[in-house]
Amino acid sequence: YSSRDHGNLSRLRSSSLEVREREIREKGSEILREQLDAAKKELKLKDKECERLSQVRNQLEQELEELTASLFEEAHKMVHEANVKQAGAEKQLKEAQGKIDVLQAEVTALKTLVLTSTPSSPNRQLHPQLQSSGTRGAYKHVGGHIRNKSASGAFPSSIGKPEPSSVSIQPAAKEDREMDSVLYAEFLMWKENPSLERSSAFLSRIYREDIGPCLSFNRSELSQLVQSAVENNSLTIEPVAMSALPMVKASAIECGGPKKCALSGMSRLCRHRIKLGDKGSYYYISPSSRARITAVCNFFTYIRYIQQGLVRHDAEQMFWEVMRLRREMTVAKLGFYLTDQC
């Protein structure tokens, strides 16, 4: 009887242990499920935070891109307006200098007339009341000086009432323009897929009519290197300190010098020099050569900005800006340039 009781007791103990183990496993599973749910909730919160930060980053990138494009457009507009104002100021300065020269000549001649007039022999140009009506305007011999009406017509006919100056400033003519349909069609076709390849009709024409002639110098090999550097955006132009060049080394003579343009081979005062890519050689260039290179660089800079999507103007405004840059290349090729920019 005791051995049977012992067996029953053992079975009861083992069953109670199994029950406890089952309860422990269930509690452990419940705890793990709760921890898993908490981890899932935390992961969802982090995902939402990451999504929010990604949206903020995209918005900042878009605003930065728009700000860059706006700054470029504003800078380009300011440069264009400054060039227009500078050209107008230079024209007014030349006209004013011409007027000053005429006035100085009038003052000098008037002083001469005053010095040749004495009480005993008055100068009849200064005293028209001494001339008879039949002799006014004819040649007069006064004090050894011969003057006629054409020479004295710009001077005052009387001391109290000077005549206006013979120099008049003509108003500047207003520039007008008319779009060429063929050029505009070529530009629109290029703008659909902008590229710097010459295969398009748009760039092929500009290379043929503007870029090629503008960068065609006497030294053809160096001209080709310059054009390649401009196309690759690896050309550097820097001013030369003239006082720092008392002597010229032999290596510099091969690349021109402070008084010889490396591109044209002509003797000119070179205030700038160029460097092609990573090459160590510098080439001295004249103001005219610099103006031609700069005009082509300006054109490439603008079409690169169009290609990168930084220009927000409409197609017609872009087209007229391209035409203006083409005109700058043509003008530079013909030898015109602004001296204070070169």
Side-chain angles (χ1 to χ4, degrees):
Y1 177 78
S2 61
S3 60
R4 184 181 303 171
D5 293 339
H6 182 71
N8 292 333
L9 182 62
S10 297
R11 283 193 296 273
L12 289 173
R13 287 179 179 177
S14 62
S15 61
S16 64
L17 287 175
E18 290 176 358
V19 170
R20 286 185 178 181
E21 287 178 357
R22 190 180 303 111
E23 290 176 354
I24 291 172
R25 283 197 298 270
E26 290 176 356
K27 288 182 179 180
S29 298
E30 185 178 355
I31 293 173
L32 290 176
R33 281 195 296 271
E34 290 176 356
Q35 292 178 350
L36 180 61
D37 292 337
K40 287 181 178 179
K41 290 180 180 179
E42 186 177 357
L43 184 60
K44 287 182 179 180
L45 292 176
K46 289 184 178 180
D47 288 340
K48 290 181 179 180
E49 183 67 15
C50 289
E51 183 178 359
R52 186 184 68 82
L53 293 176
S54 178
Q55 292 177 353
V56 171
R57 184 193 62 185
N58 294 336
Q59 183 178 0
L60 289 176
E61 289 178 349
Q62 183 178 1
E63 291 177 355
L64 180 60
E65 182 179 354
E66 292 176 355
L67 179 61
T68 302
S70 177
L71 289 176
F72 163 73
E73 291 179 3
E74 188 67 20
H76 194 74
K77 181 180 178 181
M78 291 173 64
V79 170
H80 179 62
E81 291 177 353
N83 290 337
V84 172
K85 290 181 179 179
Q86 182 178 1
E90 288 178 351
K91 182 178 180 181
Q92 292 179 357
L93 177 61
K94 289 181 180 179
E95 293 173 346
Q97 287 177 344
K99 188 174 181 179
I100 289 173
D101 293 339
V102 172
L103 293 175
Q104 287 178 344
E106 292 178 355
V107 170
T108 301
L110 187 58
K111 287 181 179 179
T112 302
L113 292 177
V114 171
L115 293 176
T116 58
S117 177
T118 62
S120 59
S121 179
N123 193 314
R124 297 181 181 274
Q125 297 291 336
L126 291 177
H127 304 280
Q129 67 273 15
L130 299 178
Q131 300 181 20
S132 62
S133 59
T135 59
R136 291 185 182 179
Y139 286 92
K140 297 293 179 180
H141 185 277
V142 181
H145 295 273
I146 300 176
R147 305 188 60 83
N148 58 25
K149 185 176 182 180
S150 61
S152 61
F155 302 120
S157 58
S158 62
I159 299 300
K161 297 181 180 180
E163 294 179 357
S165 172
S166 59
V167 176
S168 61
I169 301 177
Q170 297 295 332
K174 181 180 179 181
E175 184 182 43
D176 206 351
R177 60 191 186 186
E178 182 178 353
M179 182 180 295
D180 187 295
S181 59
V182 176
L183 298 181
Y184 189 57
E186 292 177 352
F187 172 74
L188 291 179
M189 188 177 300
W190 173 83
K191 185 177 175 297
E192 291 179 358
N193 186 21
S195 170
L196 299 182
E197 298 295 330
R198 304 189 194 183
S199 56
S200 66
F202 169 69
L203 282 183
S204 176
R205 178 190 295 273
I206 295 178
Y207 265 98
R208 184 176 63 255
E209 298 179 357
D210 302 311
I211 298 174
C214 197
L215 295 182
S216 177
F217 297 95
N218 292 340
R219 293 190 58 185
S220 57
E221 294 182 1
L222 183 57
S223 300
Q224 291 297 327
L225 294 176
V226 169
Q227 181 171 326
S228 298
V230 172
E231 293 171 347
N232 298 329
N233 200 20
S234 61
L235 183 140
T236 304
I237 303 178
E238 62 182 36
V240 178
M242 305 305 294
S243 59
L245 296 171
M247 298 179 61
V248 181
K249 297 182 180 179
S251 60
I253 295 177
E254 298 176 358
C255 303
K259 295 185 178 181
K260 184 177 181 181
C261 179
L263 287 168
S264 65
M266 301 180 67
S267 298
R268 295 288 186 273
L269 182 61
C270 301
R271 300 184 180 276
H272 292 81
R273 62 183 184 178
I274 59 175
K275 184 180 179 182
L276 308 178
D278 297 331
K279 296 182 180 179
S281 300
Y282 283 92
Y283 300 90
Y284 293 87
I285 57 174
S286 65
S288 176
S289 299
R290 175 181 178 264
R292 292 163 66 172
I293 295 173
T294 302
V296 178
C297 288
N298 290 340
F299 170 77
F300 272 102
T301 299
Y302 189 70
I303 64 173
R304 283 193 188 100
Y305 282 134
I306 295 178
Q307 183 188 24
Q308 296 168 7
L310 297 177
V311 182
R312 300 302 176 89
H313 293 155
D314 56 36
E316 186 173 343
Q317 289 176 310
M318 292 182 190
F319 172 77
W320 282 118
E321 179 62 18
V322 169
M323 294 301 103
R324 186 187 68 80
L325 294 171
R326 290 188 64 183
R327 181 172 64 178
E328 285 188 359
M329 288 189 283
T330 301
V331 170
K333 167 61 180 173
L334 294 176
F336 297 95
Y337 58 90
L338 300 177
T339 54
D340 54 346
Q341 289 185 354
C342 300

